[in-house]
Every structure is written in structure tokens, then in C-alpha cells.
Amino acid sequence: MQTEELLYFLSKANSPYEVGMAWSMMGPIEDKLRAIITLEHFSNSFLPDTFIKVLYSEDNDFISYLQSENIFFIDNDILKKMITLDKFDIPIDYSVMFDTNYASYIHQFVNNNTNNFKNEIFKSIDILLRENFQYDYYFYLVENSKALDLELHYDMDYFKNMHQDIYENLVSLELFKSTDEKLYREKGKVKYILSPIEARQNVEELIGKLFCTQEGKDHLKQLRFLQKQLTLFLIGVFQIHFSSNRSPQKKMKELFDFMNEKVGVYYEREAMVAYKYFKEKGGVRIFRKINKDTAPQKILDLIENLAWDFTAPRIMEFLMRFGGVSSFLFHSSYLMILV
């Protein structure tokens, strides 16, 4: 069976069993071959029902990256486990991703400085403390790389002196993720399993790999360039939206020309968001703070922040393609404050 045939049978599969059969029919498959598949009629609820209910309510700050829970992954290792265990089930890993705002909230929480917290923040942190989640700081690090000169050579002491806020936020995130969930659920007490020294050791290892090596800095440069492209894309969206009362269809034609002539990249999903924005006044929550009367410098700051929000899914897709600690790192949701 050729790869094209495999993709066809995977696209027609309706259950893990049919996925396993299609994959095994291929014969010997390279270990690096992986697939992301959608099983629309198969339900594998890996999140607690109570969390699902809260996740889609309006009084917390969770945003689900994917609109469906029916996206799964397959590779040789997963197939071997399915055959060995005689169980056609596809394992799932998921994590919660923090942005800069929430990293600062967690830092304040860990250091008992919560006087300015809204009720939504308390509710969201309560959920995080009660559930056994995986946490991801990668987007926070990428977003804050804008404060760093990636042409400089960083050693750990220099980094801590120059970017103490990033360092301390990461230490607090490390402590937070080591919370004893059982103790919190049963007695409402917060206890961190890691010591502050162990948290700092973990953080310095992470910083060393990403900011103190040429490979890490080159990777950050690529993602920062992506954010700049999306900044330019959003500038075009708002320029077109406020420049005339033309129909959404005509504005979209202008946006296609702008992407082709100025951005140099066609962003399909982001263009769908732009069309909804052109079509429905106030229909895109994330854009509501930007209007004609906003000061130019403030608009630019807002757009740059929005561009980081738009970059987040692209970063998550990168992680989904190249994997994580488990077979796949699947971000079912991440935390973000909408501007």
C-alpha cells in the first residue's frame, strides 16, 4: 500500500480499530511516520466531565485550542501497544499552556500577592490546582524572547541579572506545577512538592537549553519572525476594516491582495477570523478593544500583543508535529487573557 492509499483509509476510518487496521495493512512503516487523524463518531473523553463543563463556561480564562475532542494520533509505537495490549485505544496527552499574563498571575499566587485578582482568575487557578494537568511554559518563553537580544551570548548569571522577572516567573511556575493536588482537593491547603532550590535548578536547565545555546536562539528567531508576519497581517486586517464600508466580500479580496503583496504568506485560518470580523460587528471578541478612535501607538501595542495570541496555535502545531515527553504533546487547551 502506498502512502496515498494509507492516507485515504485513515481519512475513512471511524474507530481506533479501523485506524489500526489501515496502519497495519501498510506493511513496514518508517518509525518517523506519524499521522494526526479525526474520528468524528468516536468519543474518548480524557478530560473530567466537571472540567469540560467549566472549560466552556464564561467565568474562567481557559481557551480550548481545538473545537473537537475527536483528534487523535498514530505511529508505530502506538500501534505496537495496541496490538500487545489487545486493545484498540489511542492514548492522549494534553497540557495547559500559559501566556505572559497568566505566568505573572501564578507568580503572584505563589508569593501570596493576590489583592488585584478578579474572580475569574481565582476560579481558573482553583481548577488548575484540583486537576492533574501537564503544564507548558514554552509559549511564555517564546513570547518573552522579544525582550532579549538573541545576538548576545547569555550565561546563566547574566540572564538572571538582566531578565529577573522572567526567571522568577518560571521559578513560580515550577513550584505551582508541583502542587500536591490531593492535599488541595481534600483540605484546601497549598503545598509544593518541589523545594525552591529544586525549582531553580529546573528553570536554569530550561533557560540554558533555549537561551544559552545557538540552536535554541535560532529556533526563537524563527518564531519571532512568524510573529512579525502575523503583526503585518493584522495591520492589514484593521487597515482594511476601518478604511471603508465595503462589503465583507470586497474587504476579503483586499486582504488576499495584502497577504500576497505585503505579507508574503497566505494565512487561511487567520483569514477566516478576519472574514468573521468584517462580517459581524463585535463578533470577534479578541478584536473588541481596537477601534478607529484608539491612539495610533496604543493600536500598535495592541496589535503586537494580538499577533502573539495568533502565534500561539502555530507554536502548538509545531510541538504536535515534533512531539514531547509522550508520543505526542497534544495541547487541548491553554490559558490566555484576551486583550
Side-chain angles (χ1 to χ4, degrees):
M1 187 191 304
Q2 300 297 318
T3 304
E4 292 79 5
E5 293 179 274
L6 172 62
L7 294 175
Y8 173 78
F9 285 113
L10 288 176
S11 70
K12 297 297 182 181
N14 291 310
S15 69
Y17 175 81
E18 292 177 5
V19 171
M21 290 300 296
W23 197 266
S24 61
M25 287 168 60
M26 182 72 177
I29 295 179
E30 294 183 27
D31 286 337
K32 66 180 180 180
L33 186 61
R34 300 172 172 180
I36 302 174
I37 53 180
T38 302
L39 302 178
E40 296 181 2
H41 305 295
F42 175 75
S43 177
N44 187 349
S45 184
F46 58 93
L47 292 175
D49 292 338
T50 53
F51 176 71
I52 290 289
K53 182 178 180 180
V54 174
L55 177 63
Y56 292 103
S57 70
E58 294 292 331
D59 59 351
N60 65 74
D61 297 312
F62 284 88
I63 298 174
S64 180
Y65 168 54
L66 300 172
Q67 293 184 350
S68 170
E69 294 181 37
N70 299 326
I71 293 180
F72 304 93
F73 306 88
I74 188 72
D75 65 9
N76 279 340
D77 289 338
I78 292 174
L79 181 62
K80 289 174 185 175
K81 290 177 183 177
M82 291 165 66
I83 294 173
T84 303
L85 299 174
D86 194 26
K87 180 181 178 183
F88 282 90
D89 193 13
I90 299 177
I92 299 173
D93 184 19
Y94 62 92
S95 68
V96 175
M97 179 178 279
F98 292 104
D99 74 344
T100 298
N101 285 329
Y102 250 87
S104 67
Y105 293 155
I106 297 300
H107 177 66
Q108 292 174 62
F109 178 84
V110 169
N111 290 277
N112 299 311
N113 180 20
T114 59
N115 294 330
N116 65 336
F117 278 14
K118 297 183 296 183
N119 193 43
E120 291 85 350
I121 300 173
F122 279 116
K123 287 186 176 181
S124 299
I125 289 178
D126 178 69
I127 295 170
L128 293 172
L129 289 170
R130 290 180 180 278
E131 304 296 341
N132 186 22
F133 290 121
Q134 305 296 318
Y135 295 110
D136 188 343
Y137 318 144
Y138 187 69
F139 178 69
Y140 168 72
L141 287 169
V142 173
E143 186 178 20
N144 280 274
S145 70
K146 63 187 177 184
L148 280 71
D149 183 352
L150 296 181
E151 300 302 326
L152 294 178
H153 171 72
Y154 289 96
D155 60 32
M156 195 56 58
D157 290 336
Y158 181 79
F159 183 92
K160 287 192 289 186
N161 289 333
M162 294 297 294
H163 303 286
Q164 187 176 5
D165 54 340
I166 297 175
Y167 179 81
E168 294 299 335
N169 276 348
L170 287 171
V171 172
S172 295
L173 288 167
E174 275 292 312
L175 288 170
F176 183 84
K177 79 172 186 177
S178 74
T179 301
D180 187 332
E181 298 104 1
K182 183 178 179 182
L183 179 65
Y184 181 78
R185 284 195 302 267
E186 293 178 354
K187 298 184 178 181
K189 294 182 179 180
V190 177
K191 178 183 178 182
Y192 305 120
I193 298 172
L194 281 182
S195 69
I197 292 177
E198 290 172 320
R200 291 181 184 278
Q201 289 173 342
N202 291 346
V203 167
E204 290 180 14
E205 181 180 354
L206 179 63
I207 290 173
K209 289 179 180 178
L210 193 58
F211 295 112
C212 301
T213 66
Q214 190 59 47
E215 182 181 6
K217 289 190 289 186
D218 288 344
H219 179 60
L220 289 171
K221 288 177 185 178
Q222 294 177 357
L223 296 176
R224 277 168 53 167
F225 181 71
L226 170 62
Q227 188 269 347
K228 289 179 180 179
Q229 287 182 312
L230 286 167
T231 299
L232 182 57
F233 166 81
L234 289 171
I235 288 172
V237 169
F238 293 115
Q239 182 181 42
I240 292 166
H241 181 65
F242 292 127
S243 64
S244 71
N245 292 320
R246 294 181 181 178
S247 68
Q249 290 79 10
K250 290 183 178 180
K251 288 183 177 181
M252 283 304 297
K253 184 179 182 303
E254 289 185 61
L255 182 60
F256 289 144
D257 291 339
F258 184 85
M259 283 190 285
N260 182 52
E261 297 169 8
K262 304 294 184 182
V263 182
V265 178
Y266 173 62
Y267 289 112
E268 180 180 7
R269 287 167 300 170
E270 290 80 357
M272 293 170 65
V273 175
Y275 179 69
K276 182 177 181 179
Y277 178 59
F278 296 153
K279 188 178 179 182
E280 304 173 19
K281 186 177 181 180
V284 180
R285 178 184 168 191
I286 200 171
F287 291 161
R288 289 179 187 172
K289 285 191 176 181
I290 296 182
N291 55 64
K292 275 188 175 182
D293 299 327
T294 307
Q297 184 56 47
K298 186 177 180 181
I299 284 182
L300 182 58
D301 291 341
L302 288 171
I303 289 176
E304 287 183 344
N305 286 333
L306 283 172
W308 280 112
D309 295 341
F310 273 66
T311 306
R314 300 286 179 175
I315 292 174
M316 285 187 279
E317 288 172 343
F318 174 87
L319 295 174
M320 289 166 67
R321 290 199 307 273
F322 293 100
V325 175
S326 300
S327 295
F328 291 87
L329 182 60
F330 167 46
H331 296 84
S332 95
S333 59
Y334 63 98
L335 286 178
M336 177 181 291
I337 299 297
L338 298 180
V339 296

